[in-house]
Amino acid sequence: MKKIVLPIILLLSLFTSCNTTRKLYESQKYDQVIMTAGPRAVAGRASIEEMELLAAAYHQANQADHEKILALKATGRPDVWPEVFERYTSMKGRQDILARLPKEDRKRLNIATLDIDDELKGAHNKAEAFLIAKTQQLLSTQNPADIDQAKKLTHQLMRVSPNHPQIGTFQLMAMLRQAPQLSTEFEYNDRRHPLPPQFEETVITFDEEELSKFPLGITNTVHPASMVIEVVEVNVSPNRDDAVSFKESIGRATATVTDHTLNKTATVKAKVTFYFKDPESVTGTDWNVLVFPEYEASSKFNYSYSTLEGDRNACSDQTLERLKQPAIPFPTDESLLLDAAKELNDMIAKTLMK
C-alpha cells in the first residue's frame, strides 16, 4: 500500500506546485515565480512546465526592468538613480538564483549570464551620492515636511549602502530636530579607578553658545529623546622623562648639558547612546536606540627643558637659549583627566550641532 500512496502524494505535490506557479505567472508576479519555483528547479524537483514558466518569468521580469531603467535614465534626473539601482539589483538577484541550475537546463531555457556588474556599480555610486546630498539638504531646513522626507531617503540609503557611516548621522540629525529637549545621563562603572571630582559635570555640561546651536525642536513634530554618555575606558600614562646628556666645551671651559623631554597622556574612551521615540525612524521600533561608540578624547602633556653641570661659558648660544626654559613638575592625573573630559564634551557638542 505504501508503494502506491507515496507516488500519488508526489504527483499531487508536483501538480499543486505547478498550478501555483502558473497562477503567479498569469498574475504577472514574476519575481514570486522565481522565488518559489527557482529553489525547486535547482533541487531537480520542478516539472518541465514549471521550468518553462520559471524561464518565462525570468525573461519577462528582466525585460520590464530593462525598459524601465532606460526610461528612467532618459529623464536625466538625479533622483531616479535609487530606483535604477534597485532594478539592477533585482536583475542580479534573479540571475544569481538561476545560475545554480545545471548548465544544460540554462542552455535549454535560454538563460544567459547578464553582464551588468559595471552598470550595477555605477548605479550604486550615483544613487548613494544623490541620497546623501539630498538628505543633507533637507536636514538643513526647518520645514517639518523636509525632515520627514529626509528620514524616508535615509531608509533608501540603508537599502543602497547598509553600512554607510552617514546613516547614523542622518538619524541623529532628524532626531534632534524633532526632539523638544535632550535629557543627559552619565555612566561610569569602574570603581577601581575613580574619576576626579567635577569630571562628570565637565563632560555633560555644555556652554550657552553650544546649546544655542543644538537644533532641538525646530519642527512641530515632538519625540522624546535622551542621551547617555558612558565612559568605558580611562588611562593615564606614567610620567616619562626622556633625558639625553652631551658635553660642550669652548677652550678650557667644559660643561655637561642634559636635555629633558617630559611626556604624559590621559585618554578617555566613551560611547554615546541616544534613546528616542519615533515610529517612523529607520529602525522602525517603538523606542529607537542609536549608538555612537567611538569617542576618544585625550590630554597630552609635552614639555622640554635643559639642565647644566659645569661652566656656562662652554655652552653654545643655542644651548644657552634652551637653558632659559625652567624645569616644571609633571601635571597631576586629575588635571589631565579633566582636560580630557573637556575635550570629550567638545566632541559631543560638535556631534549635536550638525
Side-chain angles (χ1 to χ4, degrees), residues 41-42 44 51 55 98-112:
V42 171
M51 293 283 284
L98 298 193
R100 291 175 288 171
L101 287 172
K103 185 176 180 180
E104 57 272 17
D105 286 340
R106 294 201 308 273
K107 184 176 181 181
R108 177 171 58 83
L109 298 172
N110 193 29
I111 298 175

Side-chain angles (χ1 to χ4, degrees), residues 8-271:
I8 290 175
I9 292 175
L10 180 60
L11 287 173
L12 286 174
S13 176
L14 291 172
F15 175 78
T16 301
S17 298
C18 187
N19 191 42
T20 301
T21 302
R22 188 185 307 109
K23 288 181 178 179
L24 289 172
Y25 181 82
E26 290 171 352
S27 301
Q28 298 184 2
K29 297 178 180 179
Y30 301 129
D31 279 321
Q32 289 188 41
V33 171
I34 295 168
M35 293 299 295
T36 57
R40 286 198 296 271
V42 171
R45 294 187 286 104
S47 65
I48 294 176
E49 182 182 355
E50 194 171 19
M51 293 283 284
E52 290 175 349
L53 289 171
L54 176 63
Y58 176 79
H59 294 305
Q60 290 279 16
N62 281 346
Q63 182 62 30
D65 278 340
H66 178 67
E67 291 175 359
K68 184 63 176 180
I69 287 170
L70 291 178
L72 289 169
K73 288 182 176 180
T75 66
R77 302 199 317 265
D79 61 332
V80 305
W81 286 106
E83 183 177 350
V84 170
F85 171 72
E86 288 186 5
R87 289 183 177 271
Y88 273 130
T89 301
S90 295
M91 295 173 71
K92 178 69 172 174
R94 296 181 199 115
Q95 177 170 278
D96 290 344
I97 291 174
L98 298 193
R100 291 175 288 171
L101 287 172
K103 185 176 180 180
E104 57 272 17
D105 286 340
R106 294 201 308 273
K107 184 176 181 181
R108 177 171 58 83
L109 298 172
N110 193 29
I111 298 175
T113 300
L114 301 174
D115 186 15
I116 60 172
D117 287 347
D118 289 343
E119 287 84 353
L120 181 62
K121 182 178 180 181
H124 171 271
N125 293 340
K126 291 179 180 179
E128 183 182 81
F130 164 74
L131 290 170
I132 291 172
K134 186 64 177 178
T135 304
Q136 288 174 331
Q137 176 189 345
L138 291 169
L139 287 171
S140 67
T141 76
Q142 297 188 18
N143 187 335
D146 286 346
I147 306 303
D148 289 333
Q149 181 62 21
K151 290 194 290 186
K152 293 177 182 178
L153 294 185
T154 304
H155 276 277
Q156 287 186 272
L157 180 60
M158 182 169 270
R159 293 196 299 270
V160 172
S161 298
N163 298 316
H164 198 283
Q166 285 288 88
I167 291 172
T169 300
F170 290 156
Q171 286 181 268
L172 176 62
M173 293 172 71
M175 181 272 289
L176 290 172
R177 284 154 177 77
Q178 295 187 319
Q181 61 185 13
L182 185 67
S183 61
T184 304
E185 298 179 20
F186 179 87
E187 289 186 3
Y188 178 67
N189 299 315
D190 189 353
R191 296 183 178 180
R192 297 171 302 173
H193 302 92
L195 296 172
Q198 298 183 327
F199 186 96
E200 176 180 339
E201 182 181 355
T202 301
V203 171
I204 67 174
T205 304
F206 302 97
D207 61 42
E208 292 297 325
E209 182 180 358
E210 290 172 334
L211 287 171
S212 67
K213 295 178 181 178
F214 295 171
L216 291 170
I218 65 174
T219 75
N220 295 327
T221 306
V222 175
H223 298 309
S226 62
M227 174 176 65
V228 177
I229 304 170
E230 181 183 1
V231 172
V232 296
E233 186 177 332
V234 174
N235 288 305
V236 180
S237 70
N239 297 345
R240 178 173 173 178
D241 181 357
D242 294 324
V244 178
S245 297
F246 57 93
K247 293 186 179 295
E248 289 192 356
S249 61
I250 298 177
R252 294 184 177 181
T254 62
T256 298
V257 180
T258 302
D259 288 339
H260 296 265
T261 301
L262 308 183
N263 288 285
K264 186 175 183 177
T265 302
T267 303
V268 176
K269 295 182 180 180
K271 72 175 182 179

